[in-house]
Structure formats: C-alpha cells, structure tokens
Amino acid sequence: MQLPESILLFKPSILKALRSYTRERFVKDVTAGITVGIVALPLAMAFAIASGLTPQTGIFTAIIAGFLIALFGGSKVQIGGPAGAFIVIVYGIVERYGVPSLIIATAMSGILLFLMGLFRMGTLVRFIPVAVVIGFTNGIAVLIGLSQLKDFLGLSIPKMPADFFGMLSTLWAHMSTFNPYALAVSAGSLLVIIAWQHLLPSLGPNKQVLHGKLTIIPGSIVALILGSIAVSTLGLPVETIGSRFGGIPAELPAFALPELNWDTARFLFIPALTLAILGAIESLLCARVADGMTDDRHDPNQELMAQGTANFITPFFGGMPATGTIARTVTNIKSGASSPVAGIVHASVLLLIVLVAAPLAALVPLPTLAAVLMFVAWNMGEWSEFARLRSYRMPYRLTLLAVFFLTVVFDLTVAVEVGLVAACLTFIYRISSLSRSEPVMPAATTAPPTHWNEQDVRAWRLHGALFFGAVKLIEDIELQLPRHVAILDIEHVIYLDSSGAEEMLHLARSCEKRGVTLILCGVMGQPLDMARRVRLLDSPGVLHEPDLSAAFASALNLLPAGQDSATVS
C-alpha cells in the first residue's frame, strides 16, 4: 500500500531553516521570541475570557499550540495561538453545548484541518472571495467590541448571551449597574495603548531611538501594568482576574478526555467545520502577510497540517482553538525573527511566566483586558472597505454587506454559507455572460457569400465556457437548425462540462431526427477530452473537422444535387 504523496512530503519549515543556522540568527530569534511572548500574554488571556473561558485556557493554548505550530508549520515566522476571530464561535459553542463539547469540536476541527493539508487543499482556501473575508472579519470585530462593553462599563451581568439581539437587550437591561471606576480604568487603558502604539514614536527629538527602544514593549503590557497598579494601590472597586476566576494556577495543564458519543459529534460537526474553515483562512492569510514582509514563500498544505495537529492536541490539555495570528506574527518579524525557533521561544516564555509569575495575574483588572480587546477589534476590521464600496459593482457590495450583517445579527456559519453561495452565483452569471455564439458566413474562397443559402447550411462560432450556466446557447441554436447541415466552431470554447456535453448530445439527437448533419470543428484541449468521454464525436450524424474551412467544404459536399453554393440563389 502506497502512502499519500503529501505524507512523504511532510517537511516542516524548521528543517530547512536549521540547515544554515548561525549563532547570530539564534540570538535574534530568542530576542524576537521573548518580545512576542510578552505581547501574547494579555491577548491570550483576553481572548479566552471573551470566549467564556478562564484566562489560563488562553495561555495554555498559546503555549501548546504556539509550540506545535512553530515546530510543524510551513511558515518560518508565523506565531500561532488563540485569535480574536474565534471569540464569537467559541462563545456560542460554550454557551450552547458547554466546555466539554468545545474540546470535541476543536479536536474535530483539527482533524479536518489536517485532512485539508493532507489532501493538498491549501491553495483552495484562496478561492474564498475577498468580499466574504472582509464581511465576516468586520462582523466579528463588531461582535467582539459589543461583547466587551460589559467589562468596559463594569456592568453586573452574570452571563452574556451569544446572539446579537440578546447582547443588546442584556446590556440595556443592566445599564443601571454601570461602574464609573471601571469605565475610568478601561478608558485610561485604551488611551495608554493608543498613545503607546501610535503617538510615542512622534515624540521627542530622536524619533528612531524612541521607536526602537520603547515601542518594542507592547502597549497592552504597559496598560496591563499601569491598570493593575492603579486598581491595587487606589483600591478601586472593579473586577480583576483574581476576583472573578481566583487567579491563574502556577502549574502545567493536565490531560483531560471528555465523554464522546455519536450524537454529540453529529451536532458539533457544523461548528467544527466553521472552526476549521476560519482557522485555515486566518492562518494562510497570516502566512501570506508574513511572506510579503520576509520575501519568503510558505507551504500552505504543511501549515494546515500543523494547524490541524495543534488543534487536535491542545484542547485535551485545557486549550481552545488556535490559528496563525497576524499581530503576533508581524511583531515577531519586526523583532528580527528568521526561523520557527522564535515561535518555540515565545511558547517557552509564556510557560515560564505561568510557572513563575502566575500569582501576579490575579491583579489584572478586567476593564483593562476589555480595552485591549477593543483595540484589537478596531485594528481587526477593514473599515475603509465600506467607504470604497461605491467603486465596486453591485454584486460585490451586496455580498460584503450581506456577510457583514448576517455575521453580526445571525451567525458566522450562516454568513459564510450565504456569502459563498452569493459569490458562486455571481461568478456563474459573470462567466455565462462572457460565453456567446455568433453566426459565421463562409469565406469567399469556399463559397461566395452572396450565393450562400442559410436555410440549407448554417454555422455558429462559440466563445467562452460551455457549462451548466451557458447551455442556453445550445438551446437557442437548436431552435434555428437549417434543413441540411449545422456547423459548430468550438475552437474558442475553453471549457466544456458534463451539462454542456449533455446538451451537445441532445443537439446531436435533434439533428439526427430532422435529418440534419452536425459538423463540429476546432474541438481540442479539454472540450475534446470531454467530447470523447461522452462519445459525442461518435454520435450518428455527427462529423468532426479540424477547422472551419474544412467544415464548410464538407457541408457543400453534403448538400443535395443542384443546391451547392454555385447554384443556390
């Protein structure tokens, strides 16, 4: 039994990166890994809390998944871990099915991702239209921001619903519990993040020094430290990780196997498929961004197999879904990373923080984490695309807006399904509109056009793709058949599908019944292969000529005596 070729080509990028590894590169990778590990800490906790999980769930995911994605991935510098795009889906699964079901759904998504890479489907993810990607990305950003209003305003809400209208009604019903101290902490934290990330480099006489030495520390960490100090020293009445979750245990995650049955797996297949598709899109988009910044090329199938491995293993050790993360990957690149060693160091730094400094996490105020996620949500959305909609055609506008509103109001799964269906219908319409037929007259050397009788012989030239969306071209020709010979020039047909071939067979049968000879010319490439498979060229009354001139010559020979081009008027 032969193994699939993709298994034989299972080559993580770390193997190639370490062939010419040097001490200088190792130092840069370690520095980058430490930096991105510090960046990942608040984000991992914030993503987990926003998903309805404990903060250590996000940290464990960043450690385990980050290590596995770096070790087995197809990109040299991509950083894996929990991502904001998963918040809405994960929160919905936890609220509807519970945490044990999230473990099963995440593991199932890991299997799907691995199979996508195994069967070399990495390039297919690029076929998802940009309108769908932008629509659900902006929709997720809105939902993330909306879900963080609870902690941003310090509202006393025991449990937030997962749906849009439920969120709005719950927030409005508990608006009387507004905490001004929480708002002050969250607004101050958000200002610190914005100022640190955007305003700091423009201060002072030496901008480059400030940019290089200070902004290497992420604004989220600065806000986390300042917010924790302010809340603890001033005794502000706001919720912290310690007051809500009891802190973060300074220990390694333990293996846990949930109860698995067929009914549970059956109900979780659609959420798992959504996680897998979204994870594939996010990770490969992130890898493409990294390629542009490093002038490198990633292996999409290897990356999907790495993502699948990480998402299958991580949930059994207290983790959540993971994927490639653009913000952390960009930080990794800008910090000098050149190989997956930086990603491994990043996971090791997070593990060290858990083992050594976990008790300090109890002091982190939840409004600060809400501010971090507000900033992430704003940067996550491509809001300028809404202003540019006027420059695009109506199908693009409708697809993007439909996916956006369906993501916000209903569900990400429904939004992506509707978006893909709309994009497919638009594509079918566009391609079918490019397919056309035109009548063709014989050249003067074959038969004088002034003496050509179209009631006896008629010819058409077809252009484009003859597929299920363009079979009406053949139907129209069938309604205009001549008395003796019909010629179809399909030299310019680039594609013939089974529906188009079936319609051609139907045309051949109609011609046979009416005593009309059907001549096909210029059949080559893929249309020729399809015509042979359905035995179109062997049908009764069908002739095959190499070109249009030969087809006209054959047509003249097939005319009854006294009706050739020289005598017919």
Side-chain angles (χ1 to χ4, degrees):
M1 179 178 176
Q2 270 193 332
L3 291 173
E5 182 186 0
S6 51
I7 291 181
L8 302 176
L9 295 178
F10 188 87
K11 296 180 180 179
S13 61
I14 192 171
L15 298 178
K16 182 179 179 180
L18 293 180
R19 289 176 188 169
S20 57
Y21 206 58
T22 62
R23 181 177 179 180
E24 289 75 18
R25 289 180 62 191
F26 176 73
V27 172
K28 289 183 177 180
D29 284 339
V30 169
T31 303
I34 294 173
T35 303
V36 78
I38 295 173
V39 171
L41 178 64
L43 294 177
M45 292 191 294
F47 291 150
I49 293 173
S51 302
L53 303 169
T54 58
Q56 61 263 32
T57 302
I59 298 178
F60 292 161
T61 303
I63 294 171
I64 302 171
F67 174 80
L68 292 174
I69 291 172
L71 186 64
F72 297 117
S75 173
K76 291 182 181 179
V77 292
Q78 178 151 269
I79 299 296
F86 285 134
I87 290 177
V88 178
I89 308 171
V90 173
Y91 189 88
I93 295 174
V94 171
E95 195 220 16
R96 186 175 303 176
Y97 303 107
V99 175
S101 295
L102 175 64
I103 296 175
I104 298 172
T106 306
M108 289 172 62
S109 73
I111 295 173
L112 293 173
L113 280 165
F114 189 88
L115 291 176
M116 289 169 66
L118 183 68
F119 293 106
R120 314 194 69 75
M121 297 174 63
T123 55
L124 296 181
V125 178
R126 299 181 182 179
F127 294 164
I128 296 179
V130 66
V132 175
V133 175
I134 294 173
F136 77 67
T137 301
N138 287 6
I140 289 172
V142 169
L143 289 176
I144 291 173
L146 187 64
S147 68
Q148 293 311 297
L149 285 178
K150 169 183 174 290
D151 290 327
F152 198 88
L153 301 175
L155 304 180
S156 298
I157 301 175
K159 188 175 183 180
M160 281 283 287
D163 62 290
F164 174 72
F165 293 109
M167 286 184 190
L168 289 180
S169 60
T170 303
L171 289 170
W172 181 255
H174 292 81
M175 196 59 68
S176 59
T177 63
F178 161 70
N179 184 345
Y181 297 101
L183 178 60
V185 172
S186 55
S189 300
L190 187 58
L191 287 175
V192 167
I193 296 171
I194 294 173
W196 194 267
Q197 298 296 122
H198 296 291
L199 301 181
L200 184 64
S202 63
L203 300 177
N206 194 334
K207 299 180 182 180
Q208 293 300 321
V209 172
L210 281 169
H211 186 274
K213 294 185 177 180
L214 293 180
T215 58
I216 194 172
I217 304 172
S220 56
I221 287 292
V222 177
L224 215 65
I225 295 173
L226 295 180
S228 301
I229 293 174
V231 170
S232 60
T233 55
L234 299 176
L236 301 179
V238 299
E239 275 197 294
T240 62
I241 287 180
S243 64
R244 183 181 294 183
F245 302 102
I248 296 177
E251 58 186 18
L252 295 175
F255 178 80
L257 189 65
E259 182 181 350
L260 178 62
N261 58 70
W262 170 245
D263 289 335
T264 303
R266 181 164 55 90
F267 283 114
L268 292 175
F269 178 75
I270 294 301
L273 181 62
T274 305
L275 289 173
I277 294 176
L278 185 57
I281 294 172
E282 285 286 313
S283 62
L284 296 185
L285 283 178
C286 178
R288 291 181 67 183
V289 170
D291 287 350
M293 297 180 66
T294 60
D295 196 23
D296 195 13
R297 188 177 292 271
H298 72 283
D299 182 346
N301 299 305
Q302 180 65 44
E303 187 62 35
L304 289 182
M305 287 191 279
Q307 299 287 339
T309 303
N311 279 283
F312 180 76
I313 295 175
T314 303
F316 298 117
F317 290 91
M320 60 186 289
T323 185
T325 57
I326 293 180
R328 276 157 276 176
T329 299
V330 171
T331 302
N332 191 39
I333 296 170
K334 290 185 176 181
S335 300
S338 63
S339 78
V341 172
I344 295 174
V345 173
H346 134 267
S348 304
V349 168
L350 286 171
L351 177 61
L352 184 63
I353 292 174
V354 168
L355 296 178
V356 176
L360 296 177
L363 302 175
V364 175
L366 294 181
T368 296
L369 289 181
V372 170
L373 279 185
M374 286 283 194
F375 186 75
V376 169
W378 176 256
N379 287 325
M380 178 180 176
E382 298 186 45
W383 313 111
S384 60
E385 290 299 318
F386 288 130
R388 295 174 55 192
L389 282 178
R390 290 178 297 177
S391 61
Y392 292 103
R393 292 180 179 270
M394 187 58 68
Y396 180 92
R397 301 180 199 172
L398 292 177
T399 301
L400 192 152
L401 292 175
V403 173
F404 172 74
F405 285 113
L406 288 172
T407 300
V408 173
V409 176
F410 291 100
D411 181 74
L412 178 62
T413 306
V414 175
V416 173
E417 289 173 353
V418 171
L420 289 177
V421 169
C424 288
L425 292 176
T426 302
F427 177 76
I428 292 170
Y429 172 75
R430 292 290 182 199
I431 296 300
S432 63
S433 65
L434 294 176
S435 302
R436 70 184 195 277
S437 66
E438 58 186 16
V440 183
M441 296 293 289
T445 55
T446 305
T450 55
H451 295 288
W452 188 259
N453 191 338
E454 291 189 356
Q455 293 181 355
D456 294 321
V457 180
R458 188 167 293 176
W460 294 268
R461 178 179 288 123
L462 303 181
H463 298 265
L466 192 56
F467 69 118
F468 63 90
V471 294
K472 192 177 183 300
L473 295 178
I474 305 300
E475 295 174 355
D476 292 341
I477 289 174
E478 188 175 344
L479 297 175
Q480 307 173 52
L481 287 177
R483 288 182 298 201
H484 297 297
V485 183
I487 301 173
L488 291 187
D489 178 13
I490 58 176
E491 180 182 357
H492 300 287
V493 173
I494 60 175
Y495 177 71
L496 176 67
D497 76 343
S498 56
S499 298
E502 183 62 32
E503 195 61 35
M504 294 282 282
L505 286 171
H506 186 273
L507 175 64
R509 288 192 290 267
S510 297
C511 289
E512 182 188 8
K513 290 179 182 178
R514 301 183 190 183
V516 178
T517 301
L518 177 64
I519 301 179
L520 302 177
C521 62
V523 189
M524 52 188 171
Q526 188 274 338
L528 177 60
D529 177 64
M530 177 60 76
R532 286 172 174 168
R533 279 191 281 165
V534 300
R535 305 185 67 82
L536 172 63
L537 302 180
D538 299 328
S539 299
V542 175
L543 300 180
H544 179 211
E545 296 293 347
D547 53 42
L548 195 58
S549 297
F552 278 127
S554 296
L556 294 177
N557 294 329
L558 291 170
L559 289 175
Q563 291 191 4
D564 57 16
S565 61
T567 60
V568 175
S569 59

